[in-house]
Amino acid sequence: MSNTSQPDAHAELDSLPQPELPQLESAPLAYENAAFLNSADGRLIRILAEYTEPLARFRRERIQDTVVFFGSARFHGMTENHASANGGRAVKLLDNTGSAAPAPESEQPASVHEIAEGKASELGRRRAVAAVEMARYYEDARRLAGLVTRWAKTLSGPSQRHRFVVTSGGGPGIMEAANRGAYEAGGKTIGLNIRLPFEQRPNPYITPELNFEFHYFFMRKLWFAYLAKALVVFPGGFGTIDEMFETLTLVQTHKLAKNITVIVYGPGYWKNVLNFDWLVDTGAISPGDIDLFQFADTPEQAFELLKQGLIRNHLQTETPHPAQNAGTEIVPGLSLEDLLGPDFAKTR
């Protein structure tokens, strides 16, 4: 029995009517494939992007190092909270951390009228008193950021990089106050925002070229710690406490090969929230660990402590790291990395 040859089979198929095939579009480039980039397989690319994209912008904007402000996202300043505009309330609370929406009425501080008429809840009365104090912290953060920025603008070197740039988490409340104070002082100011599953937005005082939004909390925290030469912790909640203790842990364990000046602002608030002496008494931390931070209660006091620490640790004793001079010198003693920055934290 003879078999039909392969050429004859092809000829038979070629004689049949052929369907019209649609024009095939070019496949997307891998780095333009949104479905891939947003998938689990693209996670590594997203993480790397949240490292390299901020790095490129910090270099382009000539940012050398930062002073980071942490604090509550839920409070406005007194100037934004006229009682007449808030139903007699001195201050109106925002909702969840970073949210653009106000908190529910049941959580708001009581108004003057509600207190006078005996209609205020116990929580409302307590918050009415506390809210005025918290608004004072907003104004203090605003003033302190202005003092730091005006002083930092007087510092210049051959690289002309920006020193001790005020940085916040980019949202409302104390974060807004810090960016606002730096903006009003005429300096650059950084906002490291985080994308959240509810309405939120960056505050308007951030330098547009230095307005960041992160998907990953840990990458955002890396950039807080990576460039910081000082940290100011204003009153706040879970997020503020988390960020404060994470930084203190890095300092305590000498993981970062640099000295960070840590100011805890508002001892009256923090000593009610955290019993640092009890941590020492129980042996959870050593007595010397209390010296890792300093308390301050006025913008002027905090500024003097910051200035002393920054001068002592990063101006008087600052010398180029050998690795930074490994590249081609653009001007005598300065490489491209020195000129463009930023000043990365070395780790041990």
Side-chain angles (χ1 to χ4, degrees):
M1 183 175 64
S2 62
N3 293 323
T4 304
S5 66
Q6 190 70 22
D8 290 342
H10 286 166
E12 183 177 345
L13 290 173
D14 290 341
S15 67
L16 298 175
Q18 297 296 313
E20 187 74 23
L21 295 177
Q23 179 65 42
L24 191 62
E25 297 293 333
S26 297
L29 296 170
Y31 58 83
E32 294 179 342
N33 186 338
F36 164 70
L37 292 176
N38 290 306
S39 70
D41 291 327
R43 183 173 291 117
L44 178 59
I45 307 300
R46 297 196 299 273
I47 292 170
L48 288 173
E50 293 202 341
Y51 176 82
T52 56
E53 193 270 350
L55 173 59
R57 275 203 265 169
F58 286 133
R59 283 177 169 164
R60 185 168 62 246
E61 295 301 314
R62 296 181 178 275
I63 304 301
Q64 179 164 339
D65 41 30
T66 63
V67 173
V68 174
F69 283 61
F70 290 141
S72 174
R74 303 190 69 190
F75 297 93
H76 286 307
M78 292 300 294
T79 56
E80 284 73 33
N81 287 284
H82 300 295
S84 59
N86 289 318
R89 290 188 181 89
V91 176
K92 196 173 184 70
L93 283 178
L94 298 177
D95 200 5
N96 203 337
T97 298
S99 174
E105 281 299 315
S106 61
E107 296 183 15
Q108 293 291 350
S111 69
V112 174
H113 307 304
E114 289 169 337
I115 295 173
E117 296 171 4
K119 297 179 179 178
S121 67
E122 182 61 29
L123 175 63
R125 283 195 295 271
R126 290 200 306 269
R127 286 195 163 180
V129 174
V132 175
E133 179 71 3
M134 297 304 291
R136 190 267 290 185
Y137 288 129
Y138 177 105
E139 301 301 338
D140 285 359
R142 178 180 172 186
R143 175 160 174 74
L144 177 57
L147 292 171
V148 170
T149 300
R150 280 187 283 273
W151 172 67
K153 287 174 64 180
T154 67
L155 307 174
S156 62
S159 68
Q160 294 299 313
R161 288 188 291 174
H162 299 280
R163 302 303 310 268
F164 311 134
V165 179
V166 169
T167 299
S168 84
I174 297 298
M175 295 179 283
E176 176 186 285
N179 292 130
R180 181 176 183 175
Y183 168 83
E184 291 169 339
K188 289 181 180 289
T189 182
I190 300 167
L192 304 180
N193 222 309
I194 186 75
R195 180 161 295 181
L196 299 171
F198 48 79
E199 182 192 6
Q200 50 89 40
R201 60 177 181 266
N203 70 69
Y205 301 103
I206 301 165
T207 301
E209 296 79 10
L210 295 168
N211 177 30
F212 299 89
E213 184 162 292
F214 292 86
H215 176 75
Y216 296 105
F217 265 108
F218 69 90
M219 292 305 299
R220 180 189 189 221
K221 288 179 176 181
L222 179 146
W223 282 114
F224 275 134
Y226 219 11
L227 302 184
K229 296 293 175 59
L231 170 67
V232 189
V233 187
F234 275 81
F238 290 160
T240 301
I241 293 169
D242 169 57
E243 291 156 344
M244 172 173 67
F245 278 105
E246 187 156 42
T247 303
L248 285 175
T249 300
L250 290 172
V251 177
Q252 178 195 48
T253 57
H254 306 287
K255 186 62 178 175
L256 296 179
K258 65 176 178 181
N259 294 313
I260 298 180
T261 301
V262 179
I263 307 298
V264 177
Y265 197 94
Y269 175 89
W270 285 112
K271 288 182 180 180
N272 276 307
V273 174
L274 300 165
N275 190 336
F276 295 102
D277 292 332
W278 182 251
L279 291 174
V280 174
D281 292 344
T282 58
I285 63 174
S286 70
D289 288 336
I290 294 294
D291 299 328
L292 297 177
F293 59 88
Q294 302 169 84
F295 284 112
D297 206 27
T298 68
E300 290 72 22
Q301 181 189 16
F303 175 61
E304 286 305 314
L305 293 172
L306 281 172
K307 188 165 69 170
Q308 291 170 19
L310 292 170
I311 290 173
R312 180 176 62 251
N313 297 322
H314 304 291
L315 294 178
Q316 290 180 344
T317 61
E318 203 165 63
T319 56
H321 190 278
Q324 290 181 315
N325 291 320
T328 303
E329 292 186 350
I330 307 301
V331 296
L334 290 171
S335 69
L336 182 64
E337 184 69 21
D338 292 321
L339 283 169
L340 298 182
D343 186 10
F344 292 135
K346 310 301 183 295
T347 57
R348 294 189 174 110

